[in-house]
Amino acid sequence: RPPHRVRRALRRQALRVSSTGQMDLVGFSKERFSSSAIKVDGLDDDGYTYDYCLAFRTKEKNNSNLESQHKLLDNLLPGTKKILQKLAQYNLHLKMVWSQDGNTLFVKLHVPLSILEAVADITDFRLQVDPAKAREMAEAGVPDASREDGFKVHPIQVNEDKSLCKYDPYSSFFAPFDREPRLHEIFLNKVVVPDKDIAHPFNSAVRLKIIHMLLYSPRFCGLDLDKLALTDSNDDEEDGLISHFAMHNPRRISTIEKRWIKWWKSPFSKEPFGAVKDYFGEQIALYFCFLHHYYTWLLIPAFFGMATQIDVGIEVDTEAILVPTFIVGLSMWCVVMLEFWKRRQKEIAVLWGMNNFEEEEGNRPSFKGEMIQSPVDGSEILHYPRLKSFSRLGYTYSVVSFLIMCVIAVVGGIFFLRYYMLISNDNFLESAAPYVGSSLNAISIQILNYLYGKVANRLTDLENHRTDTDYVDALTGKLFAFQFINSYSSFYYIAFIQLPVQGSCGEGITCMDALAINTAIIFVVALFVGNAQEILLPLYLSQRRLTKKLDELIENQHTTMPMVEFQSLLEPYDSLTGSMEDYLELSVQYGYVVLFAAAFPAAPFMAFVSNYFEYRFDALKLLKVFRRPLPRGAEDIGAWQTIFEILTVLSVVTNAGLMCFSFDNVWNIDWSPTGRIWTFIIFQYLVLGFQFALAKLIPDVGPHAAIQLARQQFFMKKLILQEQDEDEELGNLKIEMKEIESMVMTAIAKVDQMDDEPIHIDVIRSLLPLGDKKRKRLSKKDRQLLVSEESNTFDPEAREPGEAKSGSPLHRM
């Protein structure tokens, strides 16, 4: 066994990731630990290598020295053979690699360029159009020799004044991929290999999205790999799939890491969100955009919050004179921050081609239903009856309600213990009651959140949602409803219930003092425990597992390790719900910041510091700790936007209640109970009204994004669909002047030929809506004339011709 120092050096060399392929563990001679020891898979004829991997177990172990392909096939389990046969049907290139111990077979997938193009064409996959080629198409127009002016679409000249729109007109134009010769070459090339004369628009994120469709969609392979993968509770001998994952590109990771993860960096510096989007997908990139926006905007309340906290410390009073002012300012900050985020995310959706993404989203692979004929276009669609859906929703929300009641019972038990300590006539227990209660509450919050997260996932699976967006939104609602009760119920109890029920909030302290203690303890515990659980623990476990595996290989005299095996040892990442846990943590933190800022004004500053480092730790985890997430599209942050807006409204009501009912005085004004109630009502409506006015004054879509979106829609109609110009359509309707003169003369000639006898004035009177008493009795001729006219009009009751309606003017005559 090598000495400890040598083993440590070998591990460092093994963990230095360079590219997919075979990685030497040793490789040090004169060039100590040189990167030349790493063998790299070369690019194929399409300019890229393998993107996805499936890991299988076999019938026998230690298979790395199998002599022939036939022996390998004989050693595969039936389930493995079925999966590989389906992959082979679509002409996917497969590369098989044994793990170092010979117990696991890794099958790497490469989708040829021709297959990528075919799938993208069939599914109308949206890709970015090359700005230069789009400009060339627009300026050339669409010629049509059959038309008088020679154009179906006239040449387009766009006003590019940067004061009107700061974006290049053609820079963010996305269109469905099409193999038609006219459109095949217009898309922006994201993969360019000059030496091999290779250029195409399918970068790694796009390829992985198409691979996911190929593997999961019923239109293609129809494999639900998540169900086929082996788990501890599903050890079926017929199946052999252990795991499946997207493969990292270590060189790309190194490039992104240098630009992205900088520990001491101005919050206002530019971030490489475009590169993150092109590697991890829009969903993850949008999370980092929001986190960056949120913690940057936190600088404002962090500054004023610390000033207020210092004032509280100087006055030794939680009801210091700056606290009410800070609360009012924080209520305004919430609205402005969220409104500018809505503008930002709409701008991102336009620039990344994600506008209307949710409307075009396909079915989830696990969505179940029956095939019916579409009531819209007659095509075959998968349908799930509404009655079954409602029954399942009723069951799941009943379970959620029961679990929320259990949380309330736990919180009640903690406060019963706290109340028992307060009335124990023991000075130590009475003084320790607020701290013990808050600490137990903080611990119970973390435990119950973990347990409920497992249950919520199973309940949402049972609801059978059609799209991933529907699934995520439903899971989001369940998680936050539980988190809200679990995280904030103790705060509302201390602030508004404890004093009327128990008569006191603690020995020698006010309810605001107790609330400040509770807020500080729970908020700090949530920050440290949450960050440790989410950041430090995965880093430690991943490092420990990898070093243990490398030590085993070195002890067994193995000098190489397949890179794909190294990536399989990384932590799995759920690309659908992975970012949801991060959003949930932010939403709970946001609630602590805005709901109870009156009790702990330093919360925004602590949140800013925490989020500044969490932004970088989350990026580090994705690059170093987790397997590569499957890239997914996203138009916005979904239901989380609504949750943040709900918390913003609740913050006004909560802080108004704190000022009017929990403060002994505000700005040294001693109010009567009636005055407090009126102040509570007026304060709410004033601040909520001001929030509403701010929301209206700040449009959700900025002027530049609105113009760019209109350009995209216009270019789609004119350049891709080639809809003819409106003036050309009107031109086809024009009539020659000679034809017009002929029509006029014909009409004049027919004036004398019209058979239109004049009608008696009393007939006209009888047709008035309310009748006319001044009319005279009609002559027989006029009565017959009226009957003939009425018989030629539409009668909704379909009477026989000549039959008069009872009560009509004719019947009365």
Side-chain angles (χ1 to χ4, degrees), residues 488-499:
Y488 307 134
S489 56
S490 64
F491 294 86
Y492 283 102
Y493 180 84
I494 294 173
F496 304 114
I497 301 175
Q498 185 172 1
L499 183 61

PDB file of all heavy atoms in Angstrom, residues 488-499:
ATOM      1  N   TYR A 488     -43.822  29.675  10.440  1.00  0.00           N
ATOM      2  CA  TYR A 488     -44.257  30.980  10.945  1.00  0.00           C
ATOM      3  C   TYR A 488     -45.325  30.926  12.033  1.00  0.00           C
ATOM      4  O   TYR A 488     -45.655  31.963  12.606  1.00  0.00           O
ATOM      5  CB  TYR A 488     -44.792  31.834   9.784  1.00  0.00           C
ATOM      6  CG  TYR A 488     -43.855  31.978   8.627  1.00  0.00           C
ATOM      7  CD1 TYR A 488     -44.309  31.808   7.319  1.00  0.00           C
ATOM      8  CD2 TYR A 488     -42.513  32.276   8.809  1.00  0.00           C
ATOM      9  CE1 TYR A 488     -43.458  31.936   6.241  1.00  0.00           C
ATOM     10  CE2 TYR A 488     -41.654  32.402   7.728  1.00  0.00           C
ATOM     11  CZ  TYR A 488     -42.127  32.228   6.450  1.00  0.00           C
ATOM     12  OH  TYR A 488     -41.287  32.353   5.385  1.00  0.00           O
ATOM     13  N   SER A 489     -45.870  29.744  12.297  1.00  0.00           N
ATOM     14  CA  SER A 489     -46.978  29.690  13.267  1.00  0.00           C
ATOM     15  C   SER A 489     -46.546  30.167  14.650  1.00  0.00           C
ATOM     16  O   SER A 489     -47.299  30.857  15.351  1.00  0.00           O
ATOM     17  CB  SER A 489     -47.536  28.263  13.341  1.00  0.00           C
ATOM     18  OG  SER A 489     -46.510  27.343  13.662  1.00  0.00           O
ATOM     19  N   SER A 490     -45.333  29.821  15.059  1.00  0.00           N
ATOM     20  CA  SER A 490     -44.869  30.236  16.390  1.00  0.00           C
ATOM     21  C   SER A 490     -44.725  31.753  16.472  1.00  0.00           C
ATOM     22  O   SER A 490     -44.971  32.356  17.525  1.00  0.00           O
ATOM     23  CB  SER A 490     -43.532  29.559  16.705  1.00  0.00           C
ATOM     24  OG  SER A 490     -42.527  29.980  15.798  1.00  0.00           O
ATOM     25  N   PHE A 491     -44.348  32.382  15.370  1.00  0.00           N
ATOM     26  CA  PHE A 491     -44.190  33.840  15.361  1.00  0.00           C
ATOM     27  C   PHE A 491     -45.544  34.532  15.559  1.00  0.00           C
ATOM     28  O   PHE A 491     -45.654  35.489  16.339  1.00  0.00           O
ATOM     29  CB  PHE A 491     -43.572  34.286  14.034  1.00  0.00           C
ATOM     30  CG  PHE A 491     -42.165  33.817  13.832  1.00  0.00           C
ATOM     31  CD1 PHE A 491     -41.901  32.572  13.298  1.00  0.00           C
ATOM     32  CD2 PHE A 491     -41.098  34.628  14.175  1.00  0.00           C
ATOM     33  CE1 PHE A 491     -40.609  32.141  13.101  1.00  0.00           C
ATOM     34  CE2 PHE A 491     -39.792  34.211  13.982  1.00  0.00           C
ATOM     35  CZ  PHE A 491     -39.547  32.954  13.450  1.00  0.00           C
ATOM     36  N   TYR A 492     -46.555  34.058  14.839  1.00  0.00           N
ATOM     37  CA  TYR A 492     -47.880  34.671  14.968  1.00  0.00           C
ATOM     38  C   TYR A 492     -48.464  34.423  16.366  1.00  0.00           C
ATOM     39  O   TYR A 492     -49.173  35.273  16.910  1.00  0.00           O
ATOM     40  CB  TYR A 492     -48.823  34.122  13.896  1.00  0.00           C
ATOM     41  CG  TYR A 492     -48.581  34.730  12.538  1.00  0.00           C
ATOM     42  CD1 TYR A 492     -47.882  34.036  11.556  1.00  0.00           C
ATOM     43  CD2 TYR A 492     -49.030  36.014  12.238  1.00  0.00           C
ATOM     44  CE1 TYR A 492     -47.643  34.599  10.310  1.00  0.00           C
ATOM     45  CE2 TYR A 492     -48.792  36.586  10.990  1.00  0.00           C
ATOM     46  CZ  TYR A 492     -48.102  35.874  10.036  1.00  0.00           C
ATOM     47  OH  TYR A 492     -47.870  36.445   8.804  1.00  0.00           O
ATOM     48  N   TYR A 493     -48.134  33.257  16.939  1.00  0.00           N
ATOM     49  CA  TYR A 493     -48.633  32.974  18.293  1.00  0.00           C
ATOM     50  C   TYR A 493     -48.028  33.958  19.297  1.00  0.00           C
ATOM     51  O   TYR A 493     -48.748  34.535  20.129  1.00  0.00           O
ATOM     52  CB  TYR A 493     -48.281  31.540  18.682  1.00  0.00           C
ATOM     53  CG  TYR A 493     -48.753  31.179  20.073  1.00  0.00           C
ATOM     54  CD1 TYR A 493     -50.048  30.745  20.300  1.00  0.00           C
ATOM     55  CD2 TYR A 493     -47.893  31.281  21.169  1.00  0.00           C
ATOM     56  CE1 TYR A 493     -50.487  30.421  21.570  1.00  0.00           C
ATOM     57  CE2 TYR A 493     -48.306  30.961  22.446  1.00  0.00           C
ATOM     58  CZ  TYR A 493     -49.618  30.535  22.641  1.00  0.00           C
ATOM     59  OH  TYR A 493     -50.052  30.227  23.900  1.00  0.00           O
ATOM     60  N   ILE A 494     -46.716  34.151  19.214  1.00  0.00           N
ATOM     61  CA  ILE A 494     -46.069  35.068  20.163  1.00  0.00           C
ATOM     62  C   ILE A 494     -46.553  36.494  19.952  1.00  0.00           C
ATOM     63  O   ILE A 494     -46.805  37.235  20.905  1.00  0.00           O
ATOM     64  CB  ILE A 494     -44.531  34.987  20.001  1.00  0.00           C
ATOM     65  CG1 ILE A 494     -44.024  33.609  20.420  1.00  0.00           C
ATOM     66  CG2 ILE A 494     -43.841  36.073  20.826  1.00  0.00           C
ATOM     67  CD1 ILE A 494     -42.548  33.389  20.134  1.00  0.00           C
ATOM     68  N   ALA A 495     -46.694  36.887  18.692  1.00  0.00           N
ATOM     69  CA  ALA A 495     -47.004  38.286  18.392  1.00  0.00           C
ATOM     70  C   ALA A 495     -48.432  38.661  18.764  1.00  0.00           C
ATOM     71  O   ALA A 495     -48.676  39.778  19.249  1.00  0.00           O
ATOM     72  CB  ALA A 495     -46.758  38.562  16.908  1.00  0.00           C
ATOM     73  N   PHE A 496     -49.395  37.757  18.559  1.00  0.00           N
ATOM     74  CA  PHE A 496     -50.799  38.165  18.660  1.00  0.00           C
ATOM     75  C   PHE A 496     -51.656  37.327  19.607  1.00  0.00           C
ATOM     76  O   PHE A 496     -52.750  37.754  19.967  1.00  0.00           O
ATOM     77  CB  PHE A 496     -51.453  38.125  17.263  1.00  0.00           C
ATOM     78  CG  PHE A 496     -50.742  38.949  16.236  1.00  0.00           C
ATOM     79  CD1 PHE A 496     -50.115  38.350  15.156  1.00  0.00           C
ATOM     80  CD2 PHE A 496     -50.666  40.330  16.358  1.00  0.00           C
ATOM     81  CE1 PHE A 496     -49.456  39.109  14.203  1.00  0.00           C
ATOM     82  CE2 PHE A 496     -50.013  41.100  15.414  1.00  0.00           C
ATOM     83  CZ  PHE A 496     -49.400  40.484  14.333  1.00  0.00           C
ATOM     84  N   ILE A 497     -51.180  36.142  20.027  1.00  0.00           N
ATOM     85  CA  ILE A 497     -52.043  35.243  20.804  1.00  0.00           C
ATOM     86  C   ILE A 497     -51.531  35.030  22.216  1.00  0.00           C
ATOM     87  O   ILE A 497     -52.319  34.936  23.162  1.00  0.00           O
ATOM     88  CB  ILE A 497     -52.176  33.879  20.077  1.00  0.00           C
ATOM     89  CG1 ILE A 497     -52.771  34.083  18.686  1.00  0.00           C
ATOM     90  CG2 ILE A 497     -53.033  32.911  20.883  1.00  0.00           C
ATOM     91  CD1 ILE A 497     -52.836  32.818  17.842  1.00  0.00           C
ATOM     92  N   GLN A 498     -50.227  34.964  22.403  1.00  0.00           N
ATOM     93  CA  GLN A 498     -49.684  34.554  23.695  1.00  0.00           C
ATOM     94  C   GLN A 498     -50.093  35.494  24.830  1.00  0.00           C
ATOM     95  O   GLN A 498     -50.476  35.027  25.913  1.00  0.00           O
ATOM     96  CB  GLN A 498     -48.156  34.472  23.616  1.00  0.00           C
ATOM     97  CG  GLN A 498     -47.527  33.933  24.907  1.00  0.00           C
ATOM     98  CD  GLN A 498     -46.040  33.679  24.751  1.00  0.00           C
ATOM     99  OE1 GLN A 498     -45.466  33.924  23.697  1.00  0.00           O
ATOM    100  NE2 GLN A 498     -45.413  33.182  25.800  1.00  0.00           N
ATOM    101  N   LEU A 499     -50.034  36.793  24.608  1.00  0.00           N
ATOM    102  CA  LEU A 499     -50.374  37.734  25.682  1.00  0.00           C
ATOM    103  C   LEU A 499     -51.839  37.628  26.100  1.00  0.00           C
ATOM    104  O   LEU A 499     -52.125  37.537  27.308  1.00  0.00           O
ATOM    105  CB  LEU A 499     -50.035  39.160  25.243  1.00  0.00           C
ATOM    106  CG  LEU A 499     -50.262  40.243  26.299  1.00  0.00           C
ATOM    107  CD1 LEU A 499     -49.391  39.983  27.524  1.00  0.00           C
ATOM    108  CD2 LEU A 499     -49.957  41.625  25.718  1.00  0.00           C
TER     109      LEU A 499
END
